[in-house]
Amino acid sequence: MYRVKFIREGKEIQVEAGTKILEAERMAGLIPDAPCGGQGKCGKCRVKADRQSVLACQTEIRKDMEVDTLVSDSGYEILTEGSERKVTFRPDLTQQKAVLCKPEMGDNSSEWERLVRQLANGDHIKPDLKIASELYRYRKEAEEWYVICAGDEILDISREEKKICFAAFDIGTTTVVGYLLDALDGKVLALKSRMNPQAQYGADVIMRANYALEHGTEELSSCIQKAVDEMTGELAEDAGRERTDICQVCVVGNTCMHHLFLGISPASLVHAPYNPAFSQGLTLKAEQYGLHIHRKGQLIMLPDIAGYVGADTCGCILTLRQDKQEETSLMIDIGTNGEMVLGNRERLACCSTAAGPAFEGAKIECGMRGALGAVDHVVYRDGNWEYTTVGNAVPTGLCGSGLIDLVAQLYKAGFIDESGHLESRQKKSNVFMLVPPEKSGNDRGVYLTQKDIGEVQLAKAAIAAGIHLLMKQLGITEKDIDRVYIAGAFGNYMNPESAAEIGMFPLSLLDKITPVGNAAGEGAKTALLNAQERKEMNQVVRNIEFVELAASPEFQDCFVDELCFPEME
């Protein structure tokens, strides 16, 4: 056994000889960044072991060592706000007053019957023998009681009115966002966000699904359940509430995140025809999924639409209600995957494009997530390169929005041609140095390579091809699209003009764009605030026409056509 000390975190553990540093980090409870899943391809897990720079996923521990993970305390810029839609407050979580009286002579109704007939929806309340057995004792103590109901179930009976709450979570591939809401009036009481701890097993859903198939779902399921449970406690503490006040939790996420949170094998998602193991909306017992809330609290899962169009897209639809609009709209949720929904109340079609993790920085040499020091916007003006960084910190890398800006500006200025070939006019013609090492927060500077440009082309072509095939599915053209909703963190921070200039979507749609932020998270909140709208989603998703791009003979041709950058007007 060897001793490993993690300097910045102040943690020390014992590991067996041959254990890789990446695994030791996990064993110590750290959340290392390993976008390639520990395959030694991305270089993002680099640490200093006894002052030597090494890849954590490739370095075995053969002696006592000190490890500097090079992870600063700087927080990530995580999108928590979304475009709110006014929703009638009509939850199925209620707190009602009931009077427990001694029955009149001749009244043969049971204690249970006399209770439920006082409650709204009482005819549909499921019998609870444990509660029924206590009702005689309750009415001997007092007449007035408060009954907490969730749908067709009684959760609790108490003497005093309780401060009941909801919690809503959007589990993204990269980040997790949580909200606490007052169940008596629907107001947001607190919000929290953090990085998805599953990122240590791979940047995208395919890597995580493959890890689960090889090692089982336990590691991936337990780490995300633990994260959500910890956030639940933090939300309650911030709002001055108790965990046990939370009676319903709604979780949305893409289909793979949905399956892994519930401990469902993602095997069916990675083999043709890529269907989910289970897709219907669910109401489950929260305690069975590691959530320490009210002892009878419910976990609500919105329905998945298809293998790679999940409950997060359902949440976006619930926020925007494209299914009720006369105008034709396109919703694009740009993240590690690019989910899209096109149509109106007559027809809706959707697809998912493998945009890949380039926009999250995973396959970009100087790529990084939106943390302090990430270059987030770039402009080429009067022969000078200008940029901004997250938190106005010293530049250390490129996040997605900065990457798109840089590629667009290089293309407009003639440094990149239509095929994507880079001629930087610098020391290395196939590398463009934006920030030299001496002005950066690292020892290599911030730059863009020819390979990086290729990654951007692959990602933007996938999205553009998806839009084209959705339009064909509905028999419309870009002129028929009245509005474009851009959802997700990357979509919120990116410059739409830059995205259009590199051909991510048609330039004619630029003036029709409306950023809607974390629409999936807003949908999770809406699902709690209005039970009827939540139930409607089951039928809505059944009616959506799913376009399987992998099975489309036209997708590859369209994808190849979209790889080049569009001609400058």
Side-chain angles (χ1 to χ4, degrees):
M1 300 290 286
Y2 293 109
R3 177 184 62 84
V4 182
K5 181 178 181 180
F6 295 100
I7 300 170
R8 297 194 184 213
E9 294 77 12
K11 291 188 175 183
E12 187 174 308
I13 62 169
Q14 298 279 332
V15 301
E16 293 183 358
T19 303
K20 291 181 177 175
I21 294 177
L22 181 65
E23 183 59 29
E25 289 181 273
R26 292 171 180 162
M27 292 167 64
L30 309 185
I31 304 177
D33 194 14
C36 71
Q39 299 177 39
K41 296 179 179 179
C42 69
K44 307 293 184 185
C45 68
R46 189 170 295 278
V47 299
K48 283 189 176 180
D50 292 337
R51 301 185 180 182
Q52 296 295 314
S53 181
V54 298
L55 293 180
C57 67
Q58 301 297 303
T59 306
E60 293 184 349
I61 298 168
R62 297 289 179 183
K63 61 177 182 176
D64 291 345
M65 65 170 55
E66 292 188 344
V67 176
D68 183 352
T69 59
L70 305 177
V71 176
S72 68
D73 293 330
S74 58
Y76 290 96
E77 193 166 87
I78 300 175
L79 181 65
T80 58
E81 299 299 324
S83 178
E84 292 186 12
R85 173 175 62 85
K86 287 187 177 180
V87 178
T88 302
F89 183 61
R90 197 169 292 155
D92 62 1
L93 176 65
T94 59
Q95 186 166 216
Q96 305 172 52
K97 185 181 288 188
V99 178
L100 303 183
C101 295
K102 181 179 178 179
E104 298 289 335
M105 292 298 296
D107 182 355
N108 296 321
S109 58
S110 67
E111 302 284 344
W112 177 262
E113 288 175 303
R114 295 200 308 280
L115 169 66
V116 298
R117 68 189 179 199
Q118 298 180 61
L119 305 176
N121 200 37
D123 292 341
H124 302 286
I125 296 290
K126 293 188 298 186
D128 187 316
L129 298 183
K130 187 173 182 180
I131 291 176
S133 69
E134 296 291 329
L135 290 177
Y136 177 79
R137 179 173 64 83
Y138 288 164
R139 71 174 171 82
K140 297 294 284 184
E141 289 182 19
E143 286 193 350
E144 290 191 354
W145 292 79
Y146 288 91
V147 183
I148 300 173
C149 298
D152 60 0
E153 185 179 2
I154 293 179
L155 301 187
D156 205 352
I157 298 180
S158 63
R159 290 285 304 276
E160 296 181 353
E161 190 173 19
K162 294 190 175 182
K163 297 179 178 179
I164 56 175
C165 302
F166 307 116
F169 288 90
D170 172 24
I171 301 178
T173 309
T174 305
T175 60
V176 184
V177 180
Y179 309 86
L180 188 71
L181 299 91
D182 192 318
L184 299 178
D185 59 17
K187 292 180 180 178
V188 175
L189 300 172
L191 66 85
K192 284 287 180 182
S193 62
R194 64 168 65 180
M195 305 307 293
N196 187 331
Q198 292 177 336
Q200 61 191 294
Y201 302 100
D204 58 46
V205 295
I206 298 299
M207 289 180 182
R208 295 183 204 175
N210 286 334
Y211 188 94
L213 294 185
E214 184 176 347
H215 302 281
T217 62
E218 177 60 28
E219 284 182 80
L220 289 153
S221 296
S222 61
C223 78
I224 188 59
Q225 289 176 4
K226 180 182 177 183
V228 170
D229 187 52
E230 288 175 353
M231 292 174 70
T232 300
E234 292 167 1
L235 287 166
E237 184 176 353
D238 285 356
R241 302 292 175 92
E242 299 295 329
R243 275 178 172 268
T244 52
D245 291 334
I246 303 172
C247 297
Q248 283 183 331
V249 175
C250 181
V251 170
V252 300
N254 64 49
T255 312
C256 188
M257 296 301 97
H258 168 281
H259 280 36
L260 291 176
F261 183 82
L262 295 177
I264 299 172
S265 169
S268 63
L269 299 178
V270 295
H271 297 103
Y274 315 109
N275 291 337
F278 194 93
S279 61
Q280 289 90 335
L282 294 166
T283 300
L284 305 165
K285 293 182 178 180
E287 66 178 3
Q288 294 181 355
Y289 297 90
L291 303 183
H292 298 87
I293 58 172
H294 188 281
R295 59 186 175 82
K296 293 179 68 177
Q298 295 178 339
L299 170 63
I300 294 169
M301 308 292 291
L302 289 183
D304 291 318
I305 299 171
Y308 289 98
V309 184
D312 52 350
T313 303
C314 178
C316 291
I317 295 171
L318 185 51
T319 295
L320 302 172
R321 292 315 300 251
Q322 290 169 278
D323 61 300
K324 291 191 173 183
Q325 296 176 11
E326 287 189 23
E327 66 176 13
T328 298
S329 61
L330 170 66
M331 188 283 294
I332 311 175
D333 188 354
I334 307 175
T336 308
N337 298 310
E339 296 95 350
M340 289 174 269
V341 181
L342 176 65
N344 55 25
R345 65 185 187 183
E346 300 298 327
R347 287 176 73 190
L348 286 176
C350 72
C351 71
S352 176
T353 62
F359 298 143
E360 305 285 354
K363 292 188 177 181
I364 306 302
E365 194 157 326
C366 287
M368 63 184 291
R369 299 191 179 104
L372 288 178
V375 173
D376 57 355
H377 289 294
V378 181
V379 175
Y380 184 59
R381 184 182 291 119
D382 301 327
N384 296 312
W385 289 93
E386 303 172 5
Y387 57 84
T388 60
T389 64
V390 175
N392 295 316
V394 176
T396 54
L398 285 165
C399 66
S401 57
L403 174 66
I404 295 301
D405 274 359
L406 180 55
V407 172
Q409 294 293 310
L410 285 168
Y411 179 50
K412 285 172 65 177
F415 292 86
I416 300 174
D417 64 19
E418 290 181 15
S419 72
H421 177 71
L422 171 66
E423 185 59 53
S424 69
R425 306 167 199 170
Q426 296 179 346
K427 187 175 181 180
K428 293 183 179 180
S429 62
N430 63 345
V431 176
F432 179 81
M433 181 68 70
L434 177 66
V435 185
E438 63 272 16
K439 293 185 178 180
S440 73
N442 54 45
D443 55 3
R444 60 178 183 167
V446 179
Y447 54 86
L448 188 76
T449 69
Q450 183 67 65
K451 180 179 177 296
D452 296 337
I453 295 169
E455 292 292 342
V456 172
Q457 288 177 278
L458 292 172
K460 71 96 178 177
I463 292 172
I467 295 172
H468 177 81
L469 291 179
L470 282 183
M471 290 191 295
K472 183 174 182 183
Q473 176 76 11
L474 297 184
I476 65 175
T477 68
E478 58 198 66
K479 293 180 181 178
D480 299 311
I481 298 175
D482 300 303
R483 189 178 302 227
V484 179
Y485 298 109
I486 303 291
F490 171 67
N492 188 74
Y493 296 122
M494 78 172 186
N495 181 346
E497 191 171 334
S498 294
E501 286 168 347
I502 66 171
M504 187 183 294
F505 49 78
L507 197 60
S508 62
L509 298 180
L510 189 58
D511 293 335
K512 301 176 181 180
I513 289 176
T514 301
V516 291
N518 186 11
E522 290 298 325
K525 288 157 63 176
T526 300
L528 295 167
L529 297 176
N530 190 300
Q532 181 58 38
E533 290 208 32
R534 180 177 80 234
K535 292 170 184 174
E536 288 173 6
M537 284 298 103
N538 288 307
Q539 186 60 46
V540 170
V541 300
R542 279 196 290 267
N543 293 337
I544 294 176
E545 301 168 33
F546 174 62
V547 180
E548 177 55 83
L549 299 183
S552 171
E554 293 181 66
F555 177 72
Q556 195 62 33
D557 290 339
C558 188
F559 174 74
V560 171
D561 290 343
E562 296 290 349
L563 283 171
C564 289
F565 294 116
E567 293 184 12
M568 287 291 182
E569 295 185 358

